């Protein structure tokens, strides 16, 4: 789960930035009133801010009771993910916990005290989280239990199973990210902030999660190799190397890039579903929540495509670029323009000798057509001077934390290489 969207900073600094609406206005929702919360909910939001690299700000920008439901949903899945990630828990203990985790939501005293993971507080104080879960409306509880049940089973399945085929990659991504998208979509509809079709169309919701997960898996090749994880499907990489780790060798850099380009081409096939999904959203806070990670993902793929640096270190989106994306991705036409811009960037980099070049160009043509059906580019530069001044001030504050996060990531990769 932590793979999905590692780019977002601290909630307070970017909270208002995420709430700006189009047309030059600054329709900003009041900050979360901690004093109005129960002790349990206040604790849950503290855990959210402590454990989430990506979702804390946008969750707290959601409207109404949906905010609390998504907060609890996140913490429940974070607790489940913490069990799955903890390599100190033996399989005889871990597998039953994963399968039964959904049932613990209705066991007031259940907690797990043996975890050594950094997010262990969500397991140690699970009674507080489960209490607030039981305080949610039934429509929300039913969704959270169902998704937790399916995700736990999927995690258990892949504990000792490697990703061999493209189909298995899709299945793995469904369990750890697609189900998150499906669950969130059902919560959006349950809140009545979005139409029923948003929660009913599981295929589109699944694609939203798969696009993010595949992007992170592609970008994080080197980090995963250092930590002993393998998510690139054997069906693909075995055509380019004898072992997945061989792609990091200098003498294999050309075929390594070709292998990555093939995986990026596969990920791009989710973009049409992403655009269709986002076009159905009506609520501004929900749109921001969903759109920002998607535009960050397409920008990340454009940075990775045909880039040897993926196999040498960390490929990052430029800081100013990320701030611009956060400010721009607030309506469907702007998102389409962003998608068009970055697939065009990929198109210009497609080598004629790349084995996947034809497939890459074909999916890009499809995305172009969907992004700009009338062939007219949508301007993304539509902000008033006052809007830009306020937005850039907030953006500057947010980048203090983002800079620290980026520096820490670079130091980690350098230490791993050494």
């Amino acid at each position: 789960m932590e793979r999905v969207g590692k780019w977002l900073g601290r909630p307070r600094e970017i909270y208002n930035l995420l709430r700006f609406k189009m047309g030059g206005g600054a329709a900003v929702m009041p900050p979360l009133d901690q004093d109005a919360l129960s002790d349990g909910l206040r604790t849950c939001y503290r855990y959210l801010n402590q454990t989430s690299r990506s979702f804390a700000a946008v969750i707290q920008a959601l409207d109404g009771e949906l905010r609390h439901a998504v907060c609890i949903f996140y913490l429940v899945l974070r607790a489940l993910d913490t069990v799955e990630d903890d390599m100190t828990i033996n399989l005889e203990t871990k597998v039953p916990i994963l399968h039964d985790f959904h049932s613990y939501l209705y066991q007031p005293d259940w907690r797990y005290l043996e975890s050594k993971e950094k997010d262990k507080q969500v397991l140690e104080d699970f009674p507080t989280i489960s209490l607030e879960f039981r305080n949610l409306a039934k429509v929300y509880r039913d969704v959270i239990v169902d998704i937790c049940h399916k995700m736990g089973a999927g995690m258990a399945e892949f504990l000792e199973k490697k990703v061999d085929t493209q189909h298995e990659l899709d299945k793995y991504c469904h369990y750890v990210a697609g189900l998150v998208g499906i669950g969130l979509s059902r919560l959006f509809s349950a809140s009545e902030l979005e139409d029923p079709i948003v929660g009913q169309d599981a295929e589109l919701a699944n694609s939203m999660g798969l696009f993010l997960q595949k992007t992170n898996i592609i970008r994080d090749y080197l980090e995963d190799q250092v930590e002993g994880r393998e998510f690139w499907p054997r069906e693909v990489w075995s055509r380019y190397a004898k072992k997945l780790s061989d792609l990091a060798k200098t003498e294999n850099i050309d075929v390594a890039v070709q292998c990555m380009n093939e995986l990026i081409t596969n990920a791009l096939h989710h973009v049409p579903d992403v655009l269709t999904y986002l076009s159905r959203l009506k609520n501004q806070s929900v749109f921001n929540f969903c759109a920002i990670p998607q535009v960050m993902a397409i920008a990340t793929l454009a940075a990775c495509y045909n880039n040897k640096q993926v196999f040498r270190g960390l490929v990052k989106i430029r800081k100013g670029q990320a701030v611009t994306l956060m400010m721009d991705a607030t309506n469907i036409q702007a998102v389409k323009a962003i998608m068009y811009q970055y697939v065009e960037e990929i198109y210009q980099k497609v080598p004629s000798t790349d084995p996947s070049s034809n497939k890459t160009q074909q999916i890009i043509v499809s995305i172009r057509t969907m992004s700009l059906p009338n062939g007219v580019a949508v301007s993304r530069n539509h902000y008033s001077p006052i809007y830009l001044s306020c937005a850039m001030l907030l953006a500057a504050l947010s980048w203090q934390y983002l800079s620290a996060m980026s520096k820490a990531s670079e130091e980690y990769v350098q230490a791993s290489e050494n």
Side-chain angles (χ1 to χ4, degrees):
M1 271 175 49
E2 192 59 42
R3 293 176 168 282
V4 180
K6 295 182 179 179
W7 48 270
L8 208 51
R10 289 181 295 188
R12 289 184 181 179
E13 283 79 355
I14 64 175
Y15 177 86
N16 289 331
L17 179 61
L18 294 173
R19 293 291 298 163
F20 277 114
K21 296 183 180 180
M22 307 311 295
V28 181
M29 186 180 69
L32 187 64
D33 184 1
Q34 294 285 338
D35 293 335
L37 301 178
S38 67
D39 289 343
L41 263 181
R42 196 177 300 118
T43 298
C44 286
Y45 278 103
R46 187 173 78 250
Y47 291 155
L48 174 67
N49 289 321
Q50 290 172 350
T51 60
S52 173
R53 294 181 184 179
S54 55
F55 289 127
V58 281
I59 286 175
Q60 289 171 97
L62 288 169
D63 291 337
E65 63 181 16
L66 176 63
R67 180 191 306 148
H68 299 328
V70 174
C71 173
I72 300 304
F73 182 50
Y74 175 86
L75 290 177
V76 169
L77 297 189
R78 166 57 57 215
L80 177 65
D81 191 56
T82 301
V83 172
E84 192 263 349
D85 281 346
D86 195 332
M87 302 308 291
T88 68
I89 305 175
N90 62 56
L91 291 181
E92 290 74 17
T93 301
K94 182 181 292 189
V95 171
I97 291 178
L98 293 176
H99 279 292
D100 296 339
F101 203 87
H102 65 287
S103 68
Y104 303 149
L105 289 165
Y106 286 104
Q107 297 180 29
D109 298 325
W110 187 89
R111 67 179 74 217
Y112 187 76
L113 302 175
E114 306 301 321
S115 177
K116 302 298 188 293
E117 289 289 296
K118 61 181 176 63
D119 295 333
K120 62 182 180 179
Q121 69 266 37
V122 294
L123 290 170
E124 293 174 346
D125 194 20
F126 197 74
T128 296
I129 297 170
S130 67
L131 173 62
E132 293 305 324
F133 160 81
R134 293 189 297 276
N135 287 336
L136 294 173
K138 186 176 184 299
V139 287
Y140 298 131
R141 296 199 310 269
D142 289 347
V143 172
I144 294 172
V145 168
D146 182 51
I147 297 300
C148 184
H149 190 185
K150 291 174 180 175
M151 184 176 288
M155 287 178 167
E157 178 182 338
F158 276 90
L159 276 178
E160 293 188 295
K161 180 179 180 180
K162 288 190 175 182
V163 177
D164 283 330
T165 67
Q166 195 73 58
H167 174 74
E168 286 178 346
L169 175 62
D170 285 353
K171 189 175 183 181
Y172 169 76
C173 291
H174 165 73
Y175 284 137
V176 301
L179 283 172
V180 179
I182 291 169
L184 287 169
S185 301
R186 290 168 61 185
L187 293 177
F188 299 156
S189 294
S191 72
E192 299 184 355
L193 292 176
E194 298 297 345
D195 291 335
I197 187 62
V198 172
Q200 292 166 357
D201 197 333
E203 184 175 348
L204 291 188
N206 188 60
S207 274
M208 292 281 285
L210 264 62
F211 186 57
L212 298 180
Q213 188 73 7
K214 288 181 179 181
T215 296
N216 289 335
I217 285 173
I218 291 165
R219 180 199 60 194
D220 292 345
Y221 165 83
L222 192 61
E223 178 183 326
D224 287 338
Q225 282 295 300
V226 169
E227 297 187 2
R229 298 188 299 251
E230 293 190 354
F231 298 104
W232 287 24
R234 177 186 296 272
E235 181 181 42
V236 176
W237 63 255
S238 63
R239 295 199 298 272
Y240 300 90
K242 291 182 178 180
K243 295 187 297 183
L244 181 56
S245 58
D246 288 345
L247 295 179
K249 295 179 179 178
T250 304
E251 64 268 24
N252 293 330
I253 192 63
D254 291 336
V255 293
V257 168
Q258 291 176 354
C259 179
M260 175 180 63
N261 289 349
E262 181 174 344
L263 292 175
I264 291 175
T265 299
N266 173 270
L268 289 174
H269 281 81
H270 295 292
V271 173
D273 281 353
V274 168
L275 291 175
T276 300
Y277 181 97
L278 293 174
S279 70
R280 291 175 174 174
L281 300 179
K282 302 184 303 182
N283 179 271
Q284 186 67 50
S285 72
V286 172
F287 188 91
N288 292 346
F289 182 95
C290 296
I292 292 173
Q294 302 295 330
V295 297
M296 298 298 285
I298 191 65
T300 299
L301 288 183
C304 290
Y305 186 83
N306 213 47
N307 187 350
K308 298 176 182 179
Q309 186 60 28
V310 172
F311 301 93
R312 296 169 178 163
L314 186 66
V315 173
K316 300 181 298 182
I317 299 173
R318 297 189 311 275
K319 295 175 181 179
Q321 179 185 5
V323 171
T324 300
L325 288 170
M326 284 189 280
M327 290 192 297
D328 280 8
T330 52
N331 67 61
I332 187 59
Q333 292 306 322
V335 170
K336 286 182 176 181
I338 291 168
M339 291 291 186
Y340 184 96
Q341 172 191 335
Y342 285 108
V343 296
E344 185 65 22
E345 183 179 315
I346 293 173
Y347 191 89
Q348 296 302 323
K349 295 193 291 185
V350 176
S352 59
T353 56
D354 189 276
S356 304
S357 60
N358 288 338
K359 292 181 179 179
T360 308
Q361 291 167 342
Q362 287 171 9
I363 184 57
I364 288 176
V365 168
S366 297
I367 296 169
R368 278 175 175 170
T369 303
M370 192 171 183
S371 299
L372 301 177
N374 299 321
V376 179
V378 178
S379 173
R380 290 161 52 198
N381 300 317
H382 42 58
Y383 303 107
S384 69
I386 293 176
Y387 177 94
L388 281 173
S389 297
C390 294
M392 291 311 295
L393 175 61
L394 290 164
L397 291 172
S398 74
W399 279 117
Q400 281 187 305
Y401 180 69
L402 288 169
S403 296
M405 184 186 299
S406 297
K407 185 177 180 181
S409 297
E410 288 173 348
E411 291 174 351
Y412 172 78
V413 172
Q414 290 169 359
S416 299
E417 289 174 339
N418 295 331

